[in-house]
Amino acid sequence: IYSAGVTSSVEMFIDSLLENMIETLDIAHSLENVLSSFSFNFESNVAKSILCAYISFYILQDQGWKSTPIRKKFLLASLIQDIYLDNDDLSKLKSLSDPNIVNFSELEIKSFSEHHEKIAIIAQQLNKYPELDFLLIQHHERARRDGFPNRPSPAELQLAVCVFNMCSQFSLE
């Protein structure tokens, strides 16, 4: 997506990838089974994104959200949430007020502060995944109101956003 943009070929690839992930995760039956063979090497966003996808899949399943469109939306959001971050360490930041933000250049901070908007624009082009853009634009919102871009109150945060953001955060821990 990052390089090719959204084309019919890219959409077919995404759909096939997500179908295969769902089939594999259904066969595994549990997060514990999947994690027993997972390499916890967090040197790149790829490992964090895959772990986020696994965690979100099983949380959705546990909560009874078993529809294929919802599963695909969360899996895809997990995989693409940070593709516009050129420095993998930026994905470890929790917010724009994270104390570790001082370790990055102005250009990197700008990239971090805008990456959610860039990926949401791409998500809007993926018609098979309604509201994917909504999930991605808010993937740094936090109940403590120290996230971004809108800092909604805890009562205003959508449940799906809370679930996704917790999975994303847990994948870093």
Side-chain angles (χ1 to χ4, degrees):
I1 294 174
Y2 182 83
S3 300
V6 177
T7 66
S8 60
S9 296
V10 167
E11 287 184 296
M12 287 186 336
F13 171 78
I14 289 170
D15 205 48
S16 178
L17 172 68
L18 298 176
E19 289 286 340
N20 284 319
M21 286 182 78
I22 289 170
E23 184 178 323
T24 301
L25 294 172
D26 276 339
I27 290 168
H29 296 294
S30 73
L31 182 59
E32 183 179 3
N33 290 341
V34 171
L35 293 182
S36 68
S37 63
F38 187 79
S39 173
F40 288 93
N41 175 4
F42 293 98
E43 297 301 317
S44 74
N45 283 337
V46 174
K48 178 230 178 212
S49 296
I50 292 170
L51 184 57
C52 180
Y54 293 167
I55 294 167
S56 66
F57 180 88
Y58 289 109
I59 286 178
L60 291 174
Q61 181 172 295
D62 184 63
Q63 295 303 306
W65 291 351
K66 296 181 181 181
S67 77
T68 299
I70 290 174
R71 288 172 159 187
K72 284 182 176 182
K73 183 179 2 180
F74 273 74
L75 290 173
L76 183 55
S78 299
L79 297 176
I80 67 173
Q81 64 181 318
D82 291 328
I83 64 171
Y84 281 101
L85 295 178
D86 292 331
N87 181 337
D88 287 344
D89 289 334
L90 286 168
S91 70
K92 296 173 186 169
L93 295 175
K94 295 178 182 174
S95 70
L96 292 170
S97 58
D98 189 303
N100 293 314
I101 205 160
V102 298
N103 298 323
F104 300 96
S105 70
E106 284 184 39
L107 186 60
E108 289 172 319
I109 295 169
K110 183 176 181 346
S111 169
F112 177 70
S113 71
E114 295 173 350
H115 80 281
H116 63 287
E117 295 168 351
K118 289 180 180 178
I119 196 56
I121 289 168
I122 296 295
Q124 288 172 347
Q125 299 170 44
L126 296 166
N127 297 323
K128 291 179 102 176
Y129 311 99
E131 299 179 357
L132 176 63
D133 60 322
F134 178 77
L135 204 53
L136 290 165
I137 196 81
Q138 296 194 46
H139 82 269
H140 283 286
E141 297 293 7
R142 296 164 50 94
R144 284 185 245 151
R145 299 187 88 168
D146 63 347
F148 68 96
N150 300 317
R151 297 182 175 169
S153 71
E156 295 170 320
L157 275 173
Q158 298 284 329
L159 180 58
V161 171
C162 292
V163 169
F164 181 71
N165 291 356
M166 285 189 298
C167 294
S168 183
Q169 187 59 43
F170 188 74
S171 69
L172 287 172
E173 300 297 328

